[in-house]
């Protein structure tokens, strides 16, 4: 029996391999700027969400070194016990300034944030309206909550409005959306979402994982649309993407943040982030707030690449951000194309269903890419064009 107990998984894994859906881990041996080494081969990294290259910024690294000397490697307990430091509080104050909110709290990851905050926010009698392309962590957070869930068509405000109007609700109405959709790079219609929430008395919960540090002069999607400060808006974001560190945060009304501290299970029952991470996130956020050159560089790099993608008529999405997906109809086509990128030393793996409907090579641009890195990517696009059109 004991040898057979996992046979069912072996069969499932075999099936995944046959269908080209098998996933495996590829760890880096080294990393310097956007250059990485994996299995002895050198690549330019075009798959990381380190949009500003801040994870290796000297000041960000320096902050972590100083903090480790003062506070050690970890706090050894949850925040509510004794795992936090004054650096945590300082970071939360800076996050309030950054997002223009009354209060904020840091959480251990974006995944933890969504799976803890959404169940804390939504009660049994509430209804959550969720965009069909929301991130997996939102989907899981909604599942963990006791609220009723209604999925609306991607970024379709008519569908959302119709669904809100035809649903009776005794509790709160909560609309949840990614600000930037991580696999397609398009931006949620926040202006319309804001207006719907205002007129319908709903709460708006936004996941700004890919907007923070990228949109709105770095302040995120809310600033990008120049929307006003409102207490019915809950702004979740991560420290793990453009901020280049690790962890997440939620910014919003004081009473709500206080409630999260008292009820979000991923906050209460998990060890606090180490001071090193918090100190480096603080340094990184300061850079984003005070110095716009990295953000400018990110957008210059992005525009250069997008121009080529458009000129070559390469199939992409309605992306408006540094996420540039190259979309294919079959996994076979995507894998073939990924060889071109791979041979040129460009690291951008294929993203497969069920993560996305159509397989794609998801390219992400960073301020950390040099002009030569960008030229190499453009060369790859030209080669891909020739392969697709057999010229
Ligand atoms: C990456 C991501 C998360 C998860 O954040 P982690 O800090 O990596 O756990 C949550 N939401 C969205 C939209 C993301 O892209």
């Amino acid at each position: 029996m004991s040898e057979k107990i996992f046979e069912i998984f072996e069969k499932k894994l075999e099936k995944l391999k046959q269908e080209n859906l098998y996933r495996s881990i590829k760890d880096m041996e080294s990393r310097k700027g956007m250059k990485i080494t994996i299995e002895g081969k050198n690549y330019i990294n075009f798959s990381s969400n380190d949009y500003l290259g801040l994870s290796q910024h000297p000041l960000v690294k320096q902050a972590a070194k100083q903090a480790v000397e003062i506070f050690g490697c970890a706090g050894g307990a949850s925040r509510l016990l004794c795992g936090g430091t004054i650096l945590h509080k300082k970071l939360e104050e800076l996050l309030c300034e950054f997002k223009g909110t009354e209060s904020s709290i840091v959480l251990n990851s974006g995944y933890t944030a969504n799976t803890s905050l959404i169940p804390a926010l939504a009660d049994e009698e509430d209804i959550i309206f969720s965009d069909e392309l929301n991130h997996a962590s939102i989907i899981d957070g909604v599942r963990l909550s006791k609220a009723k869930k209604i999925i609306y068509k991607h970024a379709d405000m008519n569908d959302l409005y119709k669904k809100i109007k035809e649903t009776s609700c005794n509790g709160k109405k909560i609309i949840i959306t990614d600000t930037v959709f991580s696999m397609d790079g398009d931006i949620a219609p926040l202006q319309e979402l804001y207006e719907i929430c205002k007129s319908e008395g709903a709460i708006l919960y936004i996941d700004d994982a890919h907007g923070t540090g990228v949109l709105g002069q770095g302040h995120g999607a809310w600033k990008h649309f120049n929307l006003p400060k409102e207490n019915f808006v809950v702004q979740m974001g991560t420290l793990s993407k453009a901020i280049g560190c690790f962890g997440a945060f939620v910014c919003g009304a004081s009473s709500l943040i206080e409630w999260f501290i008292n009820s979000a299970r991923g906050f209460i029952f998990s060890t606090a982030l180490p001071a090193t991470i918090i100190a480096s996130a603080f340094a990184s956020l300061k850079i984003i707030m005070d110095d716009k050159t990295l953000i400018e560089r990110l957008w210059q790099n992005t525009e250069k690449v997008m121009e080529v993608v458009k000129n070559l008529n390469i199939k992409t999405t309605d992306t408006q951000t540094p996420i540039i997906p190259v979309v294919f109809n079959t996994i076979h086509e995507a894998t073939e194309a990924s060889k071109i990128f791979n041979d040129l030393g460009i690291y951008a793996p294929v993203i497969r269903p069920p993560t996305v409907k159509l397989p794609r090579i998801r390219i992400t641009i960073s301020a950390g890419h040099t002009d030569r890195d960008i030229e190499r990517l453009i060369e790859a696009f030209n080669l891909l064009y020739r392969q697709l059109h057999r010229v």
Side-chain angles (χ1 to χ4, degrees):
M1 175 67 196
S2 62
E3 298 120 62
K4 294 248 159 102
I5 193 162
F6 295 131
E7 206 177 274
I8 177 164
F9 298 125
E10 283 163 21
K11 281 192 182 135
K12 283 183 198 229
L13 285 166
E14 206 39 60
K15 189 158 173 278
L16 288 178
K17 281 179 189 165
Q18 277 165 14
E19 290 168 355
N20 259 325
L21 295 176
Y22 181 76
R23 303 163 194 250
S24 63
I25 296 171
K26 300 259 188 297
D27 286 331
M28 294 183 276
E29 285 125 50
S30 74
R31 177 170 189 238
K32 191 159 197 302
M34 301 312 280
K35 310 286 189 297
I36 53 173
T37 310
I38 294 174
E39 290 169 356
K41 191 168 161 35
N42 299 326
Y43 296 94
I44 308 163
N45 192 356
F46 277 103
S47 69
S48 141
N49 302 310
D50 189 5
Y51 293 109
L52 301 172
L54 281 168
S55 72
Q56 297 174 84
H57 192 286
L59 292 176
V60 176
K61 294 203 282 192
Q62 183 60 28
K65 286 179 202 159
Q66 279 170 356
V68 78
E69 289 303 331
I70 302 169
F71 292 107
C73 291
S78 75
R79 193 79 183 280
L80 288 170
L81 281 177
C82 62
T85 67
I86 47 165
L87 301 181
H88 289 71
K89 191 81 213 137
K90 261 182 69 184
L91 175 61
E92 284 156 359
E93 281 162 11
L94 191 64
L95 282 164
C96 290
E97 194 188 323
F98 182 60
K99 292 286 187 184
T101 56
E102 283 177 11
S103 186
S104 91
I105 187 83
V106 166
L107 293 114
N108 287 4
S109 74
Y111 187 86
T112 301
N114 284 332
T115 52
S116 315
L117 300 173
I118 296 169
L121 182 65
D123 288 319
E124 211 159 353
E125 64 275 16
D126 299 344
I127 302 179
I128 295 174
F129 298 88
S130 181
D131 187 290
E132 68 176 331
L133 291 190
N134 276 342
H135 190 261
S137 57
I138 294 180
I139 296 172
D140 292 358
V142 173
R143 278 188 194 145
L144 279 171
S145 82
K146 295 201 176 87
K148 184 177 167 190
K149 118 185 125 181
I150 294 177
I151 311 289
Y152 63 90
K153 286 192 199 132
H154 176 52
D156 185 335
M157 294 299 100
N158 291 331
D159 189 49
L160 170 64
Y161 195 67
K162 187 174 128 253
K163 284 178 168 149
I164 290 180
K165 281 299 179 197
E166 68 192 20
T167 316
S168 71
C169 176
N170 297 322
K172 305 188 284 298
K173 292 178 203 131
I174 304 164
I175 300 174
I176 306 185
T177 185
D178 283 20
T179 56
V180 175
F181 290 86
S182 52
M183 291 299 142
D184 293 85
D186 57 328
I187 305 175
L190 286 188
Q191 176 77 41
E192 287 87 342
L193 283 163
Y194 163 75
E195 280 157 19
I196 291 176
C197 286
K198 200 165 172 86
S199 72
E200 298 305 309
I203 291 169
L204 181 59
Y205 180 107
I206 59 174
D207 176 339
D208 207 22
H210 293 273
T212 301
V214 173
L215 296 176
Q217 291 292 305
H219 290 264
W222 202 249
K223 180 82 183 288
H224 172 79
F225 287 94
N226 265 320
L227 291 163
K229 290 178 191 175
E230 294 282 5
N231 268 350
F232 63 78
V233 182
V234 187
Q235 300 197 48
M236 172 270 177
T238 63
L239 304 171
S240 51
K241 285 164 183 159
I243 293 178
C245 298
F246 196 83
F249 59 85
V250 58
C251 289
S254 304
S255 52
L256 181 68
I257 302 301
E258 217 177 312
W259 172 246
F260 285 149
I261 292 170
N262 282 275
S263 65
R265 294 169 67 82
F267 176 78
I268 300 171
F269 298 107
S270 192
T271 300
L273 283 176
T276 46
I277 295 293
I278 298 293
S280 56
F282 185 92
S284 183
L285 203 54
K286 268 283 190 205
I287 295 169
I288 293 175
M289 289 166 82
D290 298 341
D291 174 7
K292 301 299 172 197
T293 53
L294 286 175
I295 295 166
E296 277 163 22
R297 166 109 199 143
L298 168 67
W299 283 99
Q300 278 163 7
N301 281 349
T302 303
E303 276 154 26
K304 257 191 226 165
V305 176
M306 271 315 290
E307 200 184 301
V308 173
V309 169
K310 282 202 184 118
N311 286 343
L312 294 177
N313 236 332
I314 285 175
K315 190 172 171 191
T316 182
T317 56
D318 290 331
T319 182
Q320 295 157 272
T321 59
I323 299 168
I324 305 181
V326 186
V327 180
F328 300 90
N329 293 321
T330 64
I331 295 177
H332 177 73
E333 284 171 336
T335 331
E336 283 298 301
S338 87
K339 283 188 194 134
I340 295 178
F341 288 81
N342 200 62
D343 289 346
L344 277 177
I346 287 167
Y347 195 76
V350 177
I351 315 258
R352 298 143 201 282
T355 307
V356 287
K357 257 190 216 142
L358 284 175
R360 65 199 59 196
I361 298 175
R362 178 180 177 273
I363 306 275
T364 45
I365 306 296
S366 169
H369 288 122
T370 62
D371 291 348
R372 288 188 63 179
D373 295 342
I374 297 294
E375 278 158 25
R376 183 73 71 82
L377 179 65
I378 290 172
E379 194 184 330
F381 277 125
N382 279 303
L383 274 177
L384 174 66
Y385 174 85
R386 270 180 249 150
Q387 190 185 62
L388 291 174
H389 298 271
R390 311 209 182 282
V391 289

